[in-house]
Amino acid sequence: MQSKETSTPQIKRSKLPKQIRQGFGIIVLLLILWRLYLVFGVEQEYTVDIWARLLISGLVIGGVYSLIAIGYTLVYGILRMINFAHGEVMMVGTFAGYLVLEATKSITVPTPDNSLLSFSNAYPIISVILAFAIGMLIAATTGYFLEKIAYRPLRKAPRLIPLISAIGASIFLQNFAQLLFSPQTRDYVNPDIISRGAGWTMMINDSKVILPYTGVLTFVLSILLMIGLYTMIKKTKLGKAMRSVAMDKQTAALMGIDVNVIISRTFIISGALAGAAGVMWGLHNGLVYYFVGFLPGIKAFTAAVMGGIGNIPGAMLGGMLLGLMESLGPTALGISYQLKDVISFVILIVILIFRPNGILGEALSEEKV
Amino acid sequence: MNEIAIKVDQVSKIFGGLTAVNQVNLEIPQKTIYSIIGPNGAGKTTLFNCISGFYVPEKGKILYFGQEIQGLSTDLIASVGISRTYQNIRLFSNLTALENIMIGLHPKFRSNWVDAIVHSPRYLREDKETKQEAIRLLNFVGLAGYGDYLAFNLPYGVQRRLEIGRALANQPRILLLDEPTAGMNMQETQSTTEFIKKLRDDLGITIILIEHDMQVVMGISDRISVLDYGTKIAEGNAAEVQSNPKVIEAYLGPGGAALAEKFQKQRRSNVKSH
Amino acid sequence: MNRQEFQKFSQHGLVFAIIMIFLVLVDFQTMFATVISKILGTNVLRGGLPEVQYMVIFLVLYSLWMGWFISRKEENKSRRIIMTLVASLTAGVVVGLFGLILNSLIQSGTDVRRYLAALSPESMKLFLLNLDGLGPLALLGVFTVSGLLGGVLSIILQSPSVGKWPKTIKTGISSTWQKFTGSLPPFIRKNAKYLAYLVLGIVIIVLPTRWGSYNNFVTGLVGLYIILGIGLNIIVGLSGQLVLGFAAFFAMGAYSMALLNAPLPHGLMWGFWPALLVGVLMAVVAAILLGLPMMRLRGDYLAIVTLGFGEIIRILLKSDLLSDFSGGPRGIQDIKGPTIFGLPFNNDVQFTYLIIAGVILAIFVYNRLENSRTGRAWLAIKEDAIAARATGINVQRNKLLALCIGAAFAGLAGAFFAARNQFTGPNDHTLMVSINILSIVIVGGMNSIPGIILGAFTLKGLPEILREMENYRLLVFGGLLVFMMIARPEGLWPAKRPQLEKKIKPDTRDGDTPGKGDKNE
Amino acid sequence: MKAMKFLAVFIVLAMLLAACGQAVATEAPAAATEAPAAATEAPVASGAPEDVCAADEWGCAKIEPGQTIKIGMGSPMTGGDASFGIDAEQSGKLAVADAEDFNGFQFELLAEDDMGGAEGGAAVANKFVADPTLVGVAGHLFSGASFAAAPIYEAVGIPMLSPSATNPGLTQQGFKVFNRVPFTDAAQGSAAAEFIYNELGIRKIAVLHDGEDYGKGLAEIVKSSFEGLGGEVVEFMGITSKEADYTPVLTTIAAKQPELLYFGGYTQDGAVLANQMKTTGLENTIFFGCDGTFGTDFLNRAGDNAEGSYHATPRTPPATPEKDKFDADYNTAYGVGPGELSPFSWNSYDCVTVLITKVREVGFVGSDGALYIPRSALVAAVRGLTDYVGISGTYTCDATGECNIQGPQFHKVENGEFVAVN
């Protein structure tokens, strides 16, 4: 083993991959700018009222995505695993809310004016609160048992194992719901005052733009829940414990934190958020069936990654961004709505090219030594 | 004096607001053992990371036999002859000791995946050489018989040795050793020190050493630099550095020369009783 | 037994009762009784109900299992009896109460199927053992008695005299086996390996002609998924990149075959073999396109990006934008099969051979790569990308190479797939396909060829075997997936490197090896 | 080496297991209970079965006494489209229940899950052809599965009658066995375009489709026919099916101010669109659906928003006593109405019934008491279906296997009910 005694070694420099990578991102960005220019600068087909409507719908759907994405991010932060069954937890919440609203609808509270007045119309606020409470409760319970049965035994296993277990749980829950409730698509029965389509009407450009009550409810509630969660994580003892478990489970355990309890509670919290998102979904969109959680689940996972997985404000931002992109993107780029997911994913890729850890992801470089 | 193997020229590395390495100059002659010491957080490992290409310094140049290497990719730097070990051992822990060394031999050979599938003459030749060379290296670092053990099952000292063996596999001209004796007992430290000397003397490898054990440092270093808060505060041979008041201050705070002497004694006796 | 324990065991009973109630809510018990009935030889027509005795058998089996499960861990016999009794009684009471509810539903003629679709009056009656009002009482009886019996059974089975049986049998078998192998002529003993290959080869050649098109179909399907699994294993298992959009490469192969070897939409009848080649190349091109910008991403980021890539490919193939080119949602039909020397080679038996040849090729390539310089570089990257880089391995190039070779396998499988079905469409390349392939690799055991084969048999064969369970098959499948992961997290047939598994006794020094704590997890 | 041995053993075992499973599956029915009743109603017992079967291109299906005559059905019963499959199975079961025994032989419906795709379709088809007592297949429901399955049935002579696979290619490939009862896209699409242009006098429409096989085919025909008539299609767009929020798409369309929105797809999405049109600036635009959106389910889900919308059905008025009976039976048996899970409840019933009827026509009892069904005769009989009045329409198959060649009937929703308008 002789050291090379020859003259100084020659170094060939090549930095191609990085340029290709960024070049790809720049090409896509230029394409996007070109399309934007066409739509906004040249064609100018759409007026302000159209954009207002798209914005409203994007914010509402973004709120729902954010709530679900937070669930992914919380669990990821603590267990470093993708909870693939999270969308199904949301589906369970949607169903629970549906059943509550059906029940309140079927109970009549006769009044002098209306002998057939249903409970949900007589006390709409109580009904909706009940739907949210039970939806969150059932979804949280599902999340709790999901962790206990499908993930806890795998705490020490390599990272891909819980992922497969989660996929199994997802398939199981989906099919269970299908068998339990039949594959039929059902409609949420909203109390009349917040029926779908009702809302504040604004006139923009002589055109009626409706700000739906359910949409406002969804958006405001999701923002409130997020603020609540954020304060909880930052301020309360549980939040601190969660953060410390997320940083280092062993050390946290040494500090006297019961890691299992904290993980369980994380699943309860993320389940409750998903449940709330599910009920909102139902109230706003009206649909509930066994497959209802699948797409939002995937989308929210995308949102969580976009914002930087493990980062709560990132999940909120990612969710909102994704909602807006889905709603505004195709129109703004003049592309068919069939391709909206393509747009979302391409933008995700571009974001990750320039920020490999998501928008708000830890700024640590990959090569942390 | 020998040719300069590594020249660190006004290198600075900044993390956010923190300047981890601040305008450091080093000239490391070939075939010497050059130690970098300093208190925890002084920027020693960061400097290593700059040299081995993990970090790109914000300012300054790093010259390897006169050629700039800052900003080059790590694998390129490694394959031209700068190997390293890590403060926290980074072996491929689910692979065997032999495989670890074989991976270290990677830059030395050229056969690609097509060769592997068709078992071309080149592949067969190189495969044979790889195995022979790996076994030879294993023997060289004193790990004969450990070849088939998974790396994470090996005792700590052996893991350190194995890591050096892996670093040696691509016939480096420069070897960066990050605390090679950390956590070792007296005998192990002793033999490692001897081994490092052997690398310099027999193989002519230039060794840059980060070490906290002053006995080791003072015993084998040809030259020593002291970093504190990212800045070089002293340079010289063992005696010069030991007597430098700035160094003592950096380690023990103001007026700590006397303390230092006392501490040193205490430490020695501690180690012995252990 | 104190109150706390009493509570604990009644809780156990409650859990089993709740599981039972959930099963009833999806009408699982009827399906189970049907299966029991079929096993015992009484056929039940599709859509019909099994006879009541089979329901009794199911309930007895369930509560036997419950009793066994609850008492299995305790030492003291009398306590075991008491705790099983407590648990079974609780379960019986709860299930009985549930039966009362069901009975009242039947009596009042309430149709709950708007909300609970599976609760048809017939199956509820059957669950109540056709006894109407007495049904709940009967359920209570069945659960209590056979739960208790299960507890007793577990005591008997775990008693030392019986507990030895499995061991005795095992040693008996192994000694017989040794005697048997010892009695074989030395020629056979020496060449056992080659003989095993020979037998395997004969089986592979002979079986497809013998056992009918359905088994050929399932074998071919499993074979395709073995190829896919091996391809994905190169990416996930060897180079350690989590790819969730493997179906995209599969689609590339399938669509290349379809577009180049079908009368519509382009009418390019290039023939099977050129199309196969193009399919593999296109998959590699897709891998490069995906890999170049994305190789730098870490685990889960890469996962979602590849997932997105898979979806992008599928959506584009289905979209109006490319529908003239790719057939849109309709897909492409009438894809021609292969010919060899001008003779058609596309009946089910021949296709099975072709796929088996593909599998052998994949295994061959995989084995050669795994133990090569490239393979070691991949393993190093998977273990620790940073250290790998510092040993002079070009991480990104090697990752990309792994992605390309894996994708090439997927392209191959895709081309076979399209030609065999004579059709391919966007719905054959959904996210579920990617997930299935990943599950095969993980369930079988990463980096283990027998594991992947076993995984493909389990995951693609199992749903076919589970067809007897009709609508319940994916429910059972999902449950089994979770169960398998918990029972065997390292996979059904984990990669064995026996010569590498030597362990060393802990350090000769006293226990607290310094530095163990610093070691990165 | 040990691993190899295990592997070999395992594979052999797996193969044997699979083979056994197969054998059990096919033999089990032999143990069924009833002996065949006296063959009083046997249509033809003359002629040795061997002669007839030898003359038949594909031979005969021989059903031993005690076995059932099996009708297969391939449909997605799990996954996102499960409602289609479950619905078809449920309707099919009723059809079998309504069928009287044929010379003492019972009919049985084997509904298998093909997940709608080619892989599942081929799996199910291979499973079916392995069963010698399976004589016909009502399906497959989805075109992808049908494409993969048809060549497999073609090889052994099992006739198919699909209730819903609309891909035009299926009848253009020259399959002898494939037939279907749904509309052709061409018939419905051009009629719809003419109706919109001539009867409604509308000149400016937007066309949406759900991005799936059926909806897209239809929408394309509507677009080209309408433009051929001189009308203007302001927007032609696909949506992603099964989503819950289409307001962005509708908003964008509203900007183009069409007078009518044509939608090719199913109720699941159609109802959502009809609802959301009211909040997105399309409240004065007419919703024009197709036969995929017809049904009470649409009325329930869209409620008041369904008023004034148009839908299509087959030409025959749908109210017949048989249909009423089916509707009632379906409701009693499954607790939901037909058409609520998918629009193909009635088609599925008809498909199974047609197959059963045709089996009765060609089957005969041999001297050994077994039932013989000559396969090619059955294939020809199904293809030769003429003026069959079912509960979903009147069917006559043409030479390519299109069995619904009549034009559609359009319905308008008025006061919560469908009213025929042409």
Side-chain angles (χ1 to χ4, degrees), chain C residues 240-406:
Chain C
Q241 311 167 72
L242 179 53
V243 166
L244 282 183
F246 203 57
F249 309 126
F250 184 57
M252 282 292 167
Y255 265 87
S256 301
M257 174 58 71
L259 292 171
L260 296 176
N261 203 23
L264 285 170
H266 303 302
L268 302 166
M269 304 298 290
W270 283 20
F272 178 84
W273 300 104
L276 181 72
L277 197 66
V278 174
V280 172
L281 285 179
M282 284 308 294
V284 173
V285 168
I288 293 174
L289 279 181
L290 171 70
L292 273 183
M294 295 286 92
M295 272 305 90
R296 227 165 69 99
L297 296 178
R298 284 186 294 137
D300 302 296
Y301 290 91
L302 187 70
I304 185 73
V305 165
T306 49
L307 185 153
F309 181 72
E311 287 295 281
I312 288 175
I313 296 284
R314 187 183 65 82
I315 295 170
L316 282 179
L317 286 173
K318 195 176 180 179
S319 70
D320 294 353
L321 196 69
L322 291 184
S323 100
D324 291 337
F325 172 75
S326 66
R330 278 189 187 154
I332 299 163
Q333 68 256 19
D334 207 9
I335 301 163
K336 300 292 182 234
T339 53
I340 289 180
F341 303 120
L343 297 169
F345 195 75
N346 55 6
N347 70 26
D348 59 330
V349 178
Q350 291 161 336
F351 236 114
T352 311
Y353 287 146
L354 204 61
I355 291 171
I356 289 174
V359 170
I360 292 171
L361 176 77
I363 294 176
F364 173 79
V365 170
Y366 177 87
N367 275 339
R368 287 240 157 145
L369 283 177
E370 191 193 14
N371 296 316
S372 72
R373 175 173 174 266
T374 317
R376 283 191 296 272
W378 285 335
L379 283 174
I381 292 168
K382 182 190 176 196
E383 285 287 316
D384 185 341
I386 291 163
R389 185 169 293 156
T391 47
I393 293 168
N394 188 330
V395 171
Q396 275 164 48
R397 187 187 299 159
N398 277 295
K399 274 182 170 181
L400 190 61
L401 179 65
L403 191 68
C404 288
I405 294 178

Side-chain angles (χ1 to χ4, degrees), chain A residues 76 102 159 186 357 367, chain C residues 114-115 117 298 300 389 489:
Chain A
Y76 186 89
E102 285 281 309
R159 291 182 50 198
R186 298 143 187 278
N357 294 298
E367 2 239 5
Chain C
R114 170 143 179 71
Y115 301 109
R298 284 186 294 137
D300 302 296
R389 185 169 293 156

Side-chain angles (χ1 to χ4, degrees), chain D residues 239-292:
Chain D
I239 55 173
T240 26
S241 146
K242 306 231 164 214
E243 294 217 345
D245 183 12
Y246 295 121
T247 49
V249 194
L250 293 169
T251 305
T252 314
I253 288 173
K256 313 254 167 89
Q257 296 175 330
E259 294 170 70
L260 180 142
L261 176 73
Y262 188 87
F263 174 66
Y266 298 114
T267 303
Q268 157 110 28
D269 303 327
V272 178
L273 285 171
N275 282 326
Q276 294 178 346
M277 275 167 76
K278 305 298 168 193
T279 60
T280 48
L282 286 168
E283 50 278 348
N284 299 320
T285 307
I286 299 164
F287 178 86
F288 201 109
C290 51
D291 59 330

Side-chain angles (χ1 to χ4, degrees), chain A residues 122-167:
Chain A
Y123 307 103
I125 298 173
I126 296 179
S127 313
V128 170
I129 289 177
L130 213 59
F132 270 104
I134 299 207
M136 288 166 82
L137 184 75
I138 303 275
T141 318
T142 313
Y144 172 77
F145 282 107
L146 185 69
E147 192 268 335
K148 202 162 175 184
I149 295 168
Y151 306 151
R152 186 168 298 179
L154 300 171
R155 196 65 58 69
K156 297 224 164 62
R159 291 182 50 198
L160 283 178
I161 308 298
L163 177 70
I164 302 298
S165 180
I167 289 169

Side-chain angles (χ1 to χ4, degrees), chain D residues 275-405:
Chain D
N275 282 326
Q276 294 178 346
M277 275 167 76
K278 305 298 168 193
T279 60
T280 48
L282 286 168
E283 50 278 348
N284 299 320
T285 307
I286 299 164
F287 178 86
F288 201 109
C290 51
D291 59 330
T293 62
F294 179 85
T296 43
D297 196 28
F298 186 86
L299 299 181
N300 296 338
R301 306 236 338 253
D304 291 344
N305 298 336
E307 276 307 294
S309 61
Y310 290 85
H311 307 268
T313 60
R315 182 50 77 177
T316 319
T320 58
E322 288 81 12
K323 181 170 186 287
D324 293 342
K325 176 180 179 298
F326 171 77
D327 290 358
D329 286 351
Y330 195 102
N331 231 323
T332 335
Y334 308 115
V336 288
E340 281 192 42
L341 291 176
S342 85
F344 299 115
S345 315
W346 301 282
N347 281 7
S348 307
Y349 179 91
D350 277 348
C351 285
V352 176
T353 315
V354 164
L355 288 172
I356 289 174
T357 317
K358 292 298 170 188
V359 168
R360 288 177 195 282
E361 276 177 25
V362 301
F364 59 90
V365 179
S367 44
D368 53 355
L371 183 72
Y372 289 88
I373 297 158
R375 292 199 184 268
S376 69
L378 185 63
V379 167
V382 174
R383 182 58 60 88
L385 186 73
T386 320
D387 291 332
Y388 175 85
V389 183
I391 58 170
S392 61
T394 306
Y395 298 112
T396 302
C397 295
D398 71 5
T400 61
E402 294 286 359
C403 300
N404 190 337
I405 44 182

Side-chain angles (χ1 to χ4, degrees), chain C residues 82-236:
Chain C
I82 295 171
M83 64 205 247
T84 6
L85 186 64
V86 169
S88 326
L89 208 59
T90 323
V93 167
V94 175
V95 174
L97 285 176
F98 180 66
L100 272 182
I101 299 173
L102 290 187
N103 190 42
S104 69
L105 284 179
I106 299 173
Q107 298 307 329
S108 65
T110 324
D111 194 348
V112 289
R113 280 174 301 177
R114 170 143 179 71
Y115 301 109
L116 298 168
L119 278 188
S120 72
E122 294 80 22
S123 70
M124 286 196 278
K125 266 186 197 148
L126 185 66
F127 178 65
L128 295 177
L129 308 175
N130 291 345
L131 292 172
D132 296 335
L134 288 176
L137 218 58
L139 287 176
L140 172 66
V142 168
F143 266 77
T144 320
V145 173
S146 41
L148 197 59
L149 249 151
V152 174
L153 215 63
S154 84
I155 293 174
I156 296 170
L157 284 179
Q158 285 179 355
S159 67
S161 56
V162 184
K164 266 189 288 181
W165 287 0
K167 215 174 179 182
T168 328
I169 294 169
K170 216 173 165 184
T171 46
I173 288 176
S174 70
S175 70
T176 328
W177 173 251
Q178 269 169 8
K179 259 185 219 157
F180 170 71
T181 49
S183 69
L184 289 173
F187 169 76
I188 294 180
R189 260 184 295 162
K190 255 185 222 157
N191 298 304
K193 185 177 165 187
Y194 301 103
L195 282 174
Y197 278 128
L198 191 71
V199 171
L200 188 68
I202 291 171
V203 166
I204 284 173
I205 291 169
V206 171
L207 262 186
T209 61
R210 291 265 166 256
W211 68 359
S213 65
Y214 179 62
N215 286 323
N216 274 332
F217 174 80
V218 176
T219 317
L221 189 68
V222 170
L224 285 177
Y225 274 85
I226 292 173
I227 301 178
L228 288 166
I230 291 174
L232 187 63
N233 186 60
I234 290 179
I235 304 174
V236 179

Side-chain angles (χ1 to χ4, degrees), chain B residues 95 180 235:
Chain B
L95 304 181
E235 186 176 359

